[in-house]
Amino acid sequence: MSGQKHGPVYGRVALIGLGLIASSMFWAMKRAGLAGEVTGYARSAETRATARRIGLCDRVCDSAQEAVQDADLVVLCVPVGAMGPVMEDIAPLLKPGATVSDVGSVKRHVIDAVQPHIPEGVHFVPAHPLAGTEHSGPESGFSELFDNRWSLLVPVEGTDPDATARLRALWEGMGANVDEMDADHHDLVLAVTSHTPHLIAYTMVGVADDLRRVTDSEVIKYSAAGFRDFTRIAASDPTMWRDVFLTNKDATLEILGRFTEELFALQRAIRTGDGEHLHDYFTRTRAIRRGIIEAGQDTDAPDFGRGQKK
Amino acid sequence: MSGQKHGPVYGRVALIGLGLIASSMFWAMKRAGLAGEVTGYARSAETRATARRIGLCDRVCDSAQEAVQDADLVVLCVPVGAMGPVMEDIAPLLKPGATVSDVGSVKRHVIDAVQPHIPEGVHFVPAHPLAGTEHSGPESGFSELFDNRWSLLVPVEGTDPDATARLRALWEGMGANVDEMDADHHDLVLAVTSHTPHLIAYTMVGVADDLRRVTDSEVIKYSAAGFRDFTRIAASDPTMWRDVFLTNKDATLEILGRFTEELFALQRAIRTGDGEHLHDYFTRTRAIRRGIIEAGQDTDAPDFGRGQKK
């Protein structure tokens, strides 16, 4: 899929919020010629100035209202907690027949916050691309971000199938594989595969930072031994992640509860010297890794984490 | 340092245990011409056959005793729990003036288990290279594993400074940076930067595997969103890690206690909707990541985890 030239899927696309995902969408749409014109808006004047400087979006607008005018597709690329207010703001200016989508990491909350403001005759197709880096801001995007990654569409009841199909074509054109999923199931799956792991990584990095007897420079110097992957995860955008945890509270707390339960069982095995329990557990977790490699979501190169990343 | 040709540092080196670290040491010593002859021994006949087939070691021996004869350096590359018995086994055959070292991830336990068996006139210089991958076994090694990574030397009281200096030259010749550290401090630092992160990663992967409402295939398909880094950590060798937790019990349990405390504080912030607490915490952890990049322990490439690893 990647690198191929498509015809335009939408005449005009408006990106509201110009961070990592929106800027990657812009470059990915340009790469494949998926949109006639892309407008963009960011709340911060500094972000808008940066976007203009680096040619991010065909036209950077000074208001969200201006950006969405005549847009066939409006994509909300703001933190999950800001989706509702932004939607309320732009609702009166949406073109009849337009589609509103988003890229939020939580879907039930976004649907509850956005759906009530969707005008009659406008389609709403929530989405979530499972792709990211630890970087944020308008300069962090790149056209390959979505290549061979999943983008989940979470259509709400009554969504026009044609609107969903068109959004699917856009994501496929940007290199992604597309699946559809129910909102509540999405939030649970993401709590397991993303939200709870992030919280845990943040916590572990915080513990290291707190510990007086191990200096920061030691933590940093010797991070290659496992900790480095945690710091990478824990470097993601704080506002985005705050909103994720506040809005996917129930699923995150449930998975955290299970996590604590299992951790306590392993902790007890360490305390009592139960090597068999530890060995069995560590053997079982290995299989999951093999599944991921077979599913093509990572490489099996023997020097992981050390080679140059292109 | 890497790739440079050195003179031999030792005439004969014996590697006891032929897993990831030992096999990487062999290729790194060969690359720089650091040893006259390298002998090797592994307990499993299958591992010895593989080593012979792929040319790992100049000579693969059928007993540890045979491998250490006339060796100037003997490196114990077995799981931490096996170090004591192996040392007891080879002690009578060690050449006077020889040096014994190891590559275990825990140092106090190894010193307590190995030191009593060191014969008069033989030097003991414990070491720990902070390098690894999720792979194990004789075929997983490669000569670049230690390049620009830290190797910690943990000399015991009364260790001959010349023996320590010579081992340092070997590690530097294999591409590593070398630091010296006290055993107890080493075990605490590693509990923070490596042992506890590994336990946490194992636990999170186990939770995902247990969860009936999220299928394995979903966990695997959607792992790019953070979970993938955990599975990578959690795929490491089960026996090695069992021994690490059993032998670095106190430091691991202490760090786990702190981790749980911090995790509960974040969990409470999620439950009560305290977004400020979450945002402050996540902002603080970002700085550590920057420190690691500045310290040269990782790259800042914007598509981390997605590019080809060489």
Side-chain angles (χ1 to χ4, degrees):
Chain A
M1 189 72 52
S2 80
Q4 236 177 287
K5 206 73 182 172
H6 293 247
V9 179
Y10 294 97
R12 181 178 293 178
V13 176
L15 301 171
I16 308 302
L18 294 174
L20 168 66
I21 298 294
S23 54
S24 296
M25 287 181 73
F26 175 73
W27 300 118
M29 285 190 281
K30 283 290 136 179
R31 182 183 67 177
L34 299 166
E37 189 197 17
V38 180
T39 59
Y41 167 74
R43 199 180 47 171
S44 140
E46 194 190 330
T47 301
R48 296 197 299 272
T50 302
R52 287 184 181 116
R53 180 170 52 77
I54 66 174
L56 174 64
C57 294
D58 299 314
R59 190 158 49 87
V60 175
C61 304
D62 286 322
S63 75
Q65 290 92 334
E66 190 192 334
V68 305
Q69 264 168 24
D70 288 320
D72 303 292
L73 174 70
V74 174
V75 190
L76 308 177
C77 306
V78 297
V80 167
M83 300 266 183
V86 166
M87 184 59 213
E88 198 172 356
D89 204 30
I90 60 171
L93 292 124
L94 294 172
K95 183 164 86 170
T99 294
V100 171
S101 187
D102 77 299
V103 295
S105 306
V106 176
K107 295 271 68 86
R108 173 55 58 203
H109 176 90
V110 168
I111 291 169
D112 291 348
V114 168
Q115 174 88 330
H117 304 294
I118 298 282
E120 193 65 37
V122 168
H123 309 292
F124 178 38
V125 188
H128 179 205
L130 306 188
T133 75
E134 81 248 41
H135 300 283
S136 40
E139 296 180 276
S140 59
F142 53 102
S143 64
E144 301 87 5
L145 180 65
F146 310 112
D147 284 350
N148 203 28
R149 296 295 158 212
W150 287 96
S151 188
L152 301 176
L153 301 188
V154 185
V156 291
E157 214 181 291
T159 300
D160 178 35
D162 289 346
T164 305
R166 208 165 156 196
L167 189 66
R168 174 188 279 267
L170 180 76
W171 278 108
E172 289 178 347
M174 292 191 290
N177 304 314
V178 175
D179 257 0
E180 290 188 26
M181 203 180 270
D182 159 77
D184 293 321
H185 190 65
H186 167 278
D187 290 356
L188 178 65
V189 168
L190 270 288
V192 173
T193 57
S194 174
H195 304 169
T196 309
H198 271 82
L199 192 74
I200 286 164
Y202 275 123
T203 307
M204 190 64 227
V205 174
V207 167
D209 193 33
D210 275 352
L211 206 68
R212 291 286 170 270
R213 282 176 298 145
V214 177
T215 65
D216 280 359
S217 69
E218 284 174 325
V219 167
I220 289 166
K221 271 167 80 173
Y222 308 132
S223 70
F227 189 68
R228 194 180 48 189
D229 287 327
F230 281 67
T231 65
R232 186 182 289 155
I233 299 175
S236 310
D237 183 59
T239 305
M240 174 193 152
W241 283 101
R242 176 199 63 196
D243 284 6
V244 164
F245 296 120
L246 294 179
T247 59
N248 197 20
K249 183 194 282 202
D250 294 346
T252 306
L253 290 177
E254 183 192 331
I255 303 305
L256 267 181
R258 281 173 168 272
F259 172 83
T260 313
E261 204 175 282
E262 300 240 2
L263 186 63
F264 284 173
L266 288 172
Q267 189 171 329
R268 191 159 157 276
I270 293 174
R271 202 181 294 281
T272 63
D274 185 350
E276 203 179 321
H277 180 95
L278 295 172
H279 193 274
D280 288 352
Y281 201 95
F282 301 162
T283 303
R284 191 160 61 82
T285 54
R286 254 194 160 175
I288 294 202
R289 172 72 187 165
R290 290 204 194 97
I292 287 172
I293 291 167
E294 282 159 20
Q297 291 294 300
D298 208 349
T299 65
D300 192 29
D303 61 343
F304 85 86
R306 304 191 57 257
Q308 280 301 102
K309 284 130 191 182
K310 65 163 176 198
Chain B
M1 189 72 51
S2 80
Q4 234 177 287
K5 205 76 184 171
H6 295 246
V9 179
Y10 293 97
R12 182 178 291 177
V13 175
L15 301 172
I16 308 302
L18 295 173
L20 168 66
I21 299 295
S23 54
S24 296
M25 287 181 73
F26 174 74
W27 300 117
M29 286 190 281
K30 283 289 136 181
R31 182 183 67 178
L34 299 166
E37 190 197 17
V38 180
T39 60
Y41 168 74
R43 198 179 49 171
S44 139
E46 194 190 330
T47 301
R48 295 197 299 272
T50 302
R52 287 183 180 115
R53 180 171 52 76
I54 66 174
L56 173 64
C57 295
D58 299 316
R59 191 157 49 86
V60 176
C61 304
D62 286 322
S63 76
Q65 290 92 335
E66 190 191 333
V68 304
Q69 265 169 23
D70 288 321
D72 302 292
L73 174 71
V74 174
V75 189
L76 308 177
C77 305
V78 297
V80 168
M83 298 267 182
V86 166
M87 184 60 212
E88 196 171 358
D89 204 31
I90 60 170
L93 293 124
L94 294 173
K95 184 165 85 170
T99 293
V100 172
S101 187
D102 76 301
V103 295
S105 306
V106 176
K107 295 272 66 88
R108 172 57 56 203
H109 177 91
V110 168
I111 291 169
D112 291 348
V114 167
Q115 175 88 329
H117 304 295
I118 297 283
E120 194 63 38
V122 168
H123 308 293
F124 179 38
V125 188
H128 178 204
L130 306 189
T133 76
E134 81 247 43
H135 300 282
S136 41
E139 295 180 278
S140 59
F142 53 102
S143 64
E144 301 87 4
L145 180 65
F146 309 112
D147 285 349
N148 202 28
R149 295 296 158 213
W150 288 97
S151 188
L152 301 177
L153 301 188
V154 185
V156 291
E157 213 180 290
T159 299
D160 179 33
D162 290 346
T164 306
R166 207 164 158 197
L167 189 65
R168 174 189 278 267
L170 180 77
W171 278 109
E172 289 178 346
M174 291 191 290
N177 305 314
V178 175
D179 257 0
E180 290 188 26
M181 203 181 271
D182 159 78
D184 292 321
H185 191 65
H186 168 278
D187 289 357
L188 178 65
V189 168
L190 269 289
V192 173
T193 57
S194 173
H195 305 169
T196 309
H198 271 83
L199 193 75
I200 287 164
Y202 275 123
T203 307
M204 190 63 228
V205 174
V207 168
D209 193 33
D210 276 351
L211 205 68
R212 290 287 169 270
R213 281 175 300 143
V214 177
T215 66
D216 281 359
S217 70
E218 283 172 328
V219 167
I220 289 166
K221 271 168 82 173
Y222 308 132
S223 70
F227 190 69
R228 193 179 50 188
D229 287 327
F230 281 68
T231 65
R232 186 183 289 157
I233 299 175
S236 310
D237 183 58
T239 304
M240 173 193 152
W241 283 100
R242 176 198 64 196
D243 284 6
V244 164
F245 295 120
L246 295 179
T247 59
N248 197 20
K249 185 195 282 202
D250 293 344
T252 305
L253 290 178
E254 183 193 331
I255 302 306
L256 267 181
R258 281 173 167 273
F259 172 83
T260 313
E261 206 175 280
E262 300 240 2
L263 185 64
F264 283 173
L266 288 172
Q267 190 170 329
R268 193 160 154 276
I270 293 174
R271 203 182 292 281
T272 63
D274 185 350
E276 205 180 318
H277 180 95
L278 296 171
H279 193 273
D280 289 351
Y281 201 96
F282 301 162
T283 303
R284 191 159 62 81
T285 53
R286 252 193 161 177
I288 294 202
R289 173 70 187 167
R290 290 204 194 98
I292 287 172
I293 290 166
E294 281 157 21
Q297 292 294 299
D298 209 349
T299 65
D300 192 28
D303 61 341
F304 84 86
R306 303 191 59 256
Q308 279 302 101
K309 283 132 192 181
K310 65 166 180 194

